[in-house]
Amino acid sequence: MHKPIPRRDGMSRRAVLAASLAAASATALTAAGATASAAALSGPQNLSGDWFATTPRSVRPRFRWWWPDGLVDPVEIAREIDQIADAGFGGAEIAAVHHSIKDKSVLDTAHHGWGSAPWRDGVEAALRQAARRGLTVDLTLGPSWPAAVPGVTPDDEAAAQELAHGRASVAAGTTYRGPVPEPVHAAAPGVTRRTLLAVQAARVEPANATRKETGLDPASVRDLTSTVRDGALTWTAPADGDWVLVSYWQRGSGQQPESGPHSSPAAYVVDHFSPVGTEAVTGFWERGLLTNTVRRLLRAAGGAFFEDSIELETDALVWTSALPAAFEKRTGRPLLPCLPVLVLDNSNQVFAFEAQLTRQIRHDFWATVSHLFNTHHVTALRDWAHSLGMEMRAQPYGLQTDSIASAAILDVPEGESLGFKNLDDYRCLAGGRDMAGHTVLSCESGAYNGSAYGTTWDRFLRTMGGAYAAGVNQTVVHGFSYATAPGVAWPGFAAFSPYNGASGYGESWGPRQPTWRHAADIAGYLGRVHQVLRTGAPRVDVAVFRQTGYTATGIGASWFTATGVPLGWTHQFLSGPLLDLPSARVENGRLAPDGPAYKALFVEGDFFYGSAPTLALDDARKLLGLARAGLPVVLLGAFDQALTPGVPGEGETERLREVLARLLALPNVRRVTDRAAVGDALAALGVHPDARYATASTLLNFHRVSGDTDFYYLCNGKHAETVKPPVTAVDHDVTLRRTRRGATVPYLLDPWTGRAGRIGRYTEEGDAVTVRVTLEPGQAAVVALGRPGLFGDRNGKRPHAVDSDAHRVLFTGHGLAVRASRAGTYTTRLSDGGTVTTTVAAVPPPVTLAQWRLDVEDFRPGADATSTDIVRRTLRLDALLPWSQIPELADSAGVGRYRTTVELPADWTSAHGAHLELGVVSDTFRVTVNGTRLAPADRLDPVVDLGGHLRPGGNVIEVEVATPLINRLRVVQPSVFGAVARQAFGLSGPVRLVPYVQQRLA
């Protein structure tokens, strides 16, 4: 999770797009790809019904488990592992987070801090119980974030560093006498040492100035460091203009992990760009935390070490001692003359040379930083985790580094629903994952500012539906709070609430929540979605080449994001280092044929640098090789006049343009100058999407292939949650490409129930199957195309319907049937050329169910912070209303059981059935008919099929609804939650019973 870091211009540091992000270590990436197991891309050998219905713990959703450092009881820890397991989840990540506790002294870091003996006891208890229950436990690398080590001081070599600058103006021909200019920002508390790296003079060049940057003449930069005596400087400016003196001071940043202190001694953030910084982290674990018992338990139940987003906070420039040497090694040029256009003041650039040169210098600098980060931090931590039988999971963004390359190095890259601005942010990480041959893309899920105890699973599912279509297939729910901490109020300790005195981030899921009674339904749904999205290999239409591999920016791809996706296209982002992976080969016109099998490569100008058409010479040569191997390529922009992203060597620009001229001359390469022409260019190259929509739509899709079975995850979502207007229902044909050459039939897989059944109505043409897709906003479905008899289906090669005016055609255990909700004669055309006419004589009319008995379990504070008293009450309702509009329940939260009886006619037979339309219901619900609890129903389309459970005469229908706690907390803790508006929970309806008649086709 990240929090916004303000800048003077109102943007956060992570939103700074002015600096270029560059290639990571090709060596590290090649190693990552070489170690990726091909088995990770192979699907299950037996796609039975059980494979989908009963998913293993390894694919189940997980929780971010917030602890108040080490102030935990091992008995309670084991109990909470049981709670997570009993609710059907797959594991948890232990994180020391306690923003809600303002008086940190109550946590007593000397005795119960992160890494203390009680913390280790808690970790052992969690791992031991997880091993018993089949769960896995992840561990954060340090207390909170960024990665930090207790005992490291701000002055240590291993601590995070910054390069602070000072400045002084010197008029033409005048002399400066005095101390070297002090940094414009004082050092952070605890920083006592500093080193003068250099002092320079540069002539002011107004022509190079920008709105915020002072223009300088790069040719005038001169090094005055050798003239400094005892911290003082004497220098006379030439008479040809005004000058500026710039000093550069290397020192510790003094950054501590978020919301500390967490430990005693205090922890300080480590240098993320040097081996010594990483060794401080691993050494602390090896010396102080990894006892023989912990090592053994990690082998039994350990999952991954985790690092949150890389939020190195400084008013200056992030730094490490090796940067000058690393920069010169990569570029062949010294770094010091470039420093004026690199230094930062509160994330703002200070000086500028000529615009193109400035851009190229900044690109080269951040390329070097990215190389150091991915080599000495990401790769080193991953390798260390492997030595312990663990994986490395991380959110590799927050700096101007190549996150796409980082994602290829990590075992499990992770994004976040709070910080990511749209689906393209996930597609960046997915590109790295899939090119490296890894399987999992994780997401920190469901954090909403100001929504603590008011978050609904409805909202959660709408958020995550689109993320899955962008490649996410692991959900780390934000989050599960440890039960209690000193001074907390009911319903217990919560990591982020109160937050600055008000309702905070995310939700504290667990038994304190009324909806926890239904959490297993949510876990089952998410687990089945994950199961499908980890099966086999991904198939993605287009790779978008991104020179700046940054994510968490919201920057998308021309044409594809706005136009292509609504038509069915899928895309992912690649950066330069990924082209060095073993998977970066072309076979039968596909890039990475054993993985995402991209059909084309799309290249455009760099959005992070004004969309300038730039390419590194090495990357251009690789693109030429891919195109010569048969990969279709489309370029948008003036790439015949391309520039290098960094400062070019002698003749490098000319060599680049020669390579691009050869690329553009190939018959499978197109260059367009209008983004609207991208689709036509792809079509001219014979490239089409695997999924094609009958009309532009908000439908999203993700395609995976296991053997000769295609899986399509479909979701009615949107590119970003902030996009308006809101998503509306979709109802249109979708044409899906199939892999299998023999007889192929489509199956509908219901992630809520785990049922998989053959679709009754569809058409076929060539290698494509067309089905009708009807989805409510946020709703998702899975369609599989495979051999007859898959998932245990017994309908084999029976003919299917290609057209019908019946309300639905479906396969049952007795063959093909039609379903109608009103009387009439219905005609169905079959795939074998036959036509069947079905007459439905009568169907009982729909019934609105308005009168209910409502039994409420009202959750209220108990004797202590973790105890809940339940007050029971019964109401008779003649009309359904949200609890907030029922006087007796206006401030209530809990579980309500709505019960009614509906009379059905005496001639009701086995051919009859009915749908129960619940209308508006919030939050979670379960339905019981005549004493039989039905399978979980789709939360985003609350319509339940009661077929087979109804009988002539009286039928008792019960709807159990659970709510969040916010309405009760508004009155229990008004100082924290009182400003939150009363929420409309409960069963609001209207509820209708809509009968139908189902008849088998002759």
Side-chain angles (χ1 to χ4, degrees):
M1 174 184 176
H2 75 267
K3 59 174 184 165
I5 303 171
R7 293 181 58 208
R8 287 182 178 176
D9 59 2
M11 297 175 65
S12 66
R13 172 177 296 140
R14 65 183 59 246
V16 177
L17 305 181
S20 176
L21 315 177
S25 166
T27 302
L29 277 176
T30 302
T35 58
S37 171
L41 298 180
S42 63
Q45 298 301 308
N46 179 23
L47 294 177
S48 65
D50 288 343
W51 165 83
F52 183 60
T54 307
T55 55
R57 291 282 188 185
S58 60
V59 303
R60 293 296 186 100
R62 313 169 62 79
F63 278 109
R64 185 145 295 169
W65 190 10
W66 293 308
W67 289 14
D69 294 327
L71 192 57
V72 294
D73 178 1
V75 174
E76 173 61 24
I77 289 296
R79 189 167 76 100
E80 293 183 9
I81 285 285
D82 283 339
Q83 291 165 352
I84 292 170
D86 291 343
F89 290 78
E93 166 211 314
I94 298 172
V97 179
H98 42 66
H99 290 63
S100 60
I101 300 177
K102 290 304 179 186
D103 183 3
K104 296 300 192 289
S105 64
V106 304
L107 295 176
D108 188 12
T109 56
H111 297 93
H112 300 97
W114 183 89
S116 64
W119 180 87
R120 292 195 301 272
D121 291 343
V123 169
E124 289 184 13
L127 289 166
R128 189 173 289 111
Q129 192 64 11
R132 294 189 184 109
R133 297 301 305 273
L135 273 63
T136 54
V137 173
D138 295 352
L139 298 167
T140 59
L141 284 172
S144 198
W145 70 89
V149 174
V152 168
T153 73
D155 291 333
D156 287 347
E157 181 186 6
Q161 300 179 45
E162 65 183 14
L163 189 69
H165 80 283
R167 63 184 295 179
S169 297
V170 184
T174 64
T175 300
Y176 176 90
R177 290 186 180 87
V180 172
E182 286 290 311
V184 296
H185 291 283
V191 178
T192 63
R193 290 190 293 189
R194 64 183 186 179
T195 299
L196 179 65
L197 182 69
V199 183
Q200 295 173 336
R203 185 173 60 81
V204 176
E205 176 53 72
N208 291 338
T210 69
R211 185 168 61 91
K212 294 185 177 182
E213 300 163 321
T214 300
L216 301 178
D217 174 12
S220 71
V221 176
R222 55 189 68 184
D223 187 359
L224 307 179
T225 312
S226 62
T227 68
V228 175
R229 298 289 183 272
D230 297 325
L233 173 69
T234 299
W235 180 74
T236 300
D240 60 343
D242 293 332
W243 291 70
V244 61
L245 294 176
V246 188
S247 59
Y248 306 95
W249 301 89
Q250 182 178 333
R251 65 191 185 191
S253 71
Q255 184 179 356
Q256 293 185 273
E258 180 75 13
S259 193
H262 294 274
S263 61
S264 183
Y268 283 87
V269 174
V270 299
D271 185 346
H272 282 53
F273 313 110
S274 71
V276 68
T278 299
E279 288 165 4
V281 175
T282 59
F284 183 83
W285 279 88
E286 295 283 352
R287 292 187 299 272
L289 303 182
L290 293 176
T291 64
N292 290 335
T293 299
V294 170
R295 290 175 185 269
R296 176 176 55 81
L297 289 171
L298 286 177
R299 295 281 179 179
F305 287 103
F306 173 70
E307 183 171 24
D308 215 311
S309 49
I310 314 302
E311 298 168 31
L312 299 182
E313 299 178 7
T314 170
D315 292 327
L317 181 69
V318 294
W319 193 256
T320 189
S321 299
L323 258 171
F327 183 91
E328 186 160 3
K329 181 178 180 180
R330 286 178 62 84
T331 66
R333 302 185 313 278
L335 174 61
L336 264 59
C338 304
L339 285 180
V341 298
L342 296 173
V343 291
L344 298 174
D345 182 359
N346 285 335
S347 300
N348 292 312
Q349 305 288 347
V350 181
F351 302 107
F353 297 152
E354 180 272 328
Q356 180 176 311
L357 177 62
T358 299
R359 170 181 62 77
Q360 291 171 327
I361 289 173
R362 290 172 182 171
H363 173 276
D364 287 339
F365 174 79
W366 288 109
T368 305
V369 172
S370 186
H371 165 76
L372 295 175
F373 174 69
N374 280 328
T375 301
H376 299 310
H377 191 78
V378 180
T379 303
L381 287 172
R382 181 205 64 194
D383 292 347
W384 172 73
H386 289 180
S387 73
L388 297 167
M390 300 278 281
E391 292 185 319
M392 186 65 202
R393 175 170 63 89
Q395 298 175 354
Y397 47 86
L399 294 174
Q400 286 100 320
T401 56
D402 190 343
S403 301
I404 299 174
S406 302
I409 298 169
L410 292 163
D411 299 299
V412 181
E414 181 171 286
E416 55 180 289
S417 64
L418 177 67
F420 276 19
K421 298 171 179 63
N422 55 43
L423 300 185
D424 280 326
D425 287 339
Y426 296 110
R427 293 183 180 114
C428 290
L429 300 181
R433 173 200 65 181
D434 290 341
M435 283 293 290
H438 299 310
T439 302
V440 179
L441 172 57
S442 184
C443 181
E444 176 188 355
S445 308
Y448 306 102
N449 188 18
S451 295
Y453 294 110
T455 300
T456 63
W457 284 110
D458 181 339
R459 184 179 185 184
F460 182 96
L461 294 170
R462 290 178 190 273
T463 297
M464 293 310 300
Y468 299 136
V472 169
N473 55 12
Q474 175 171 283
T475 305
V476 181
V477 182
H478 184 291
F480 187 108
S481 292
Y482 179 76
T484 191
V488 303
W490 182 79
F493 167 68
F496 294 98
S497 196
Y499 189 74
N500 294 329
S503 179
Y505 281 90
E507 195 57 88
S508 287
W509 304 107
R512 69 184 69 179
Q513 296 277 5
T515 58
W516 191 249
R517 299 190 187 184
H518 303 158
D521 298 349
I522 305 293
Y525 169 83
L526 296 175
R528 294 183 193 103
V529 170
H530 297 164
Q531 176 86 318
V532 168
L533 293 177
R534 296 193 199 179
T535 296
R539 290 290 184 264
V540 182
D541 294 326
V542 175
V544 176
F545 185 75
R546 171 157 281 178
Q547 299 181 66
T548 301
Y550 193 35
T551 193
T553 66
I555 301 297
S558 289
W559 190 81
F560 290 97
T561 296
T563 304
V565 169
L567 297 175
W569 288 89
T570 58
H571 65 280
Q572 290 178 343
F573 296 88
L574 312 184
S575 62
L578 271 60
L579 301 183
D580 293 320
L581 293 173
S583 62
R585 61 185 180 86
V586 177
E587 184 178 299
N588 296 324
R590 298 292 186 96
L591 173 61
D594 298 327
Y598 304 113
K599 303 173 187 176
L601 183 68
F602 175 66
V603 185
E604 61 181 327
D606 193 338
F607 274 123
F608 297 89
Y609 288 108
S611 297
T614 58
L615 268 177
L617 179 57
D618 284 347
D619 288 341
R621 288 169 173 160
K622 293 168 190 172
L623 297 185
L624 176 61
L626 295 174
R628 283 176 168 170
L631 180 68
V633 178
V634 175
L635 299 97
L636 171 61
F639 278 92
D640 54 337
Q641 297 296 314
L643 301 169
T644 58
V647 177
E650 184 176 354
E652 186 175 356
T653 301
E654 291 73 20
R655 292 194 297 275
L656 170 66
R657 292 178 180 178
E658 290 172 1
V659 171
L660 287 174
R662 294 198 294 272
L663 175 68
L664 293 169
L666 294 175
N668 56 320
V669 176
R670 296 286 188 278
R671 183 177 75 87
V672 297
T673 56
D674 183 353
R675 66 184 61 189
V678 172
D680 291 337
L682 290 167
L685 293 170
V687 178
H688 304 282
D690 282 351
R692 301 194 305 274
Y693 305 158
T695 182
S697 172
T698 52
L699 190 65
L700 303 165
N701 78 86
F702 197 89
H703 182 197
R704 296 189 73 92
V705 176
S706 176
D708 60 359
T709 303
D710 295 89
F711 291 91
Y712 286 90
Y713 168 83
L714 306 170
C715 177
N716 182 16
K718 53 185 174 181
H719 180 59
E721 287 196 75
T722 56
V723 171
K724 295 180 180 180
V727 172
T728 57
V730 299
D731 183 5
H732 58 72
D733 285 345
V734 175
T735 300
L736 306 173
R737 189 184 68 84
R738 60 187 175 188
T739 299
R740 182 179 173 83
R741 294 188 178 183
T744 305
V745 298
Y747 299 88
L748 181 65
L749 280 59
D750 183 349
W752 286 101
T753 65
R755 300 189 187 107
R758 183 178 170 188
I759 294 174
R761 176 183 172 184
Y762 58 94
T763 60
E764 301 174 277
E765 183 177 359
D767 66 349
V769 175
T770 298
V771 298
R772 191 76 176 180
V773 174
T774 304
L775 294 173
E776 294 297 316
Q779 189 183 8
V782 176
V783 173
L785 308 179
R787 60 176 174 79
L790 202 60
F791 309 111
D793 177 66
R794 297 181 179 179
N795 285 291
K797 299 180 180 179
R798 288 175 174 171
H800 60 275
V802 296
D803 190 21
S804 180
D805 54 6
H807 301 139
R808 185 181 174 195
V809 183
L810 67 160
F811 277 106
T812 71
H814 303 289
L816 198 63
V818 296
R819 180 177 290 182
S821 57
R822 62 178 180 270
T825 299
Y826 300 95
T827 301
T828 303
R829 289 195 301 112
L830 302 179
S831 57
D832 62 3
T835 299
V836 180
T837 299
T838 306
T839 299
V840 176
V843 181
V847 180
T848 298
L849 308 180
Q851 295 184 329
W852 299 79
R853 167 177 163 166
L854 173 57
D855 296 313
V856 175
E857 296 181 18
D858 190 358
F859 282 37
R860 300 190 178 197
D864 54 51
T866 61
S867 297
T868 297
D869 287 342
I870 294 179
V871 176
R872 290 176 169 81
R873 60 181 68 191
T874 298
L875 291 79
R876 300 285 180 177
L877 303 178
D878 292 326
L880 289 172
L881 294 170
W883 289 12
S884 56
Q885 296 180 29
I886 301 174
E888 299 92 331
L889 302 177
D891 295 316
S892 297
V895 178
R897 294 180 183 85
Y898 296 77
R899 179 176 294 187
T900 191
T901 300
V902 60
E903 293 288 333
L904 295 176
D907 59 354
W908 189 272
T909 69
S910 60
H912 291 82
H915 290 108
L916 182 67
E917 299 175 352
L918 295 181
V920 178
V921 56
S922 185
D923 178 30
T924 58
F925 65 88
R926 284 175 173 170
V927 175
T928 299
V929 179
N930 294 325
T932 299
R933 195 177 88 186
L934 305 188
D938 195 326
R939 178 65 199 86
L940 299 180
D941 184 24
V943 178
V944 185
D945 189 351
L946 307 187
H949 298 284
L950 298 171
R951 61 199 179 199
N955 292 264
V956 178
I957 297 176
E958 181 179 286
V959 182
E960 180 181 84
V961 180
T963 80
L965 283 175
I966 188 63
N967 285 349
R968 175 57 63 195
L969 285 168
R970 288 178 66 256
V971 295
V972 170
Q973 296 186 52
S975 61
V976 176
F977 300 100
V980 179
R982 187 181 283 156
Q983 303 296 299
F985 299 131
L987 179 61
S988 304
V991 177
R992 295 201 315 156
L993 188 73
V994 182
Y996 61 77
V997 170
Q998 184 168 298
Q999 293 186 196
R1000 180 182 177 185
L1001 294 179

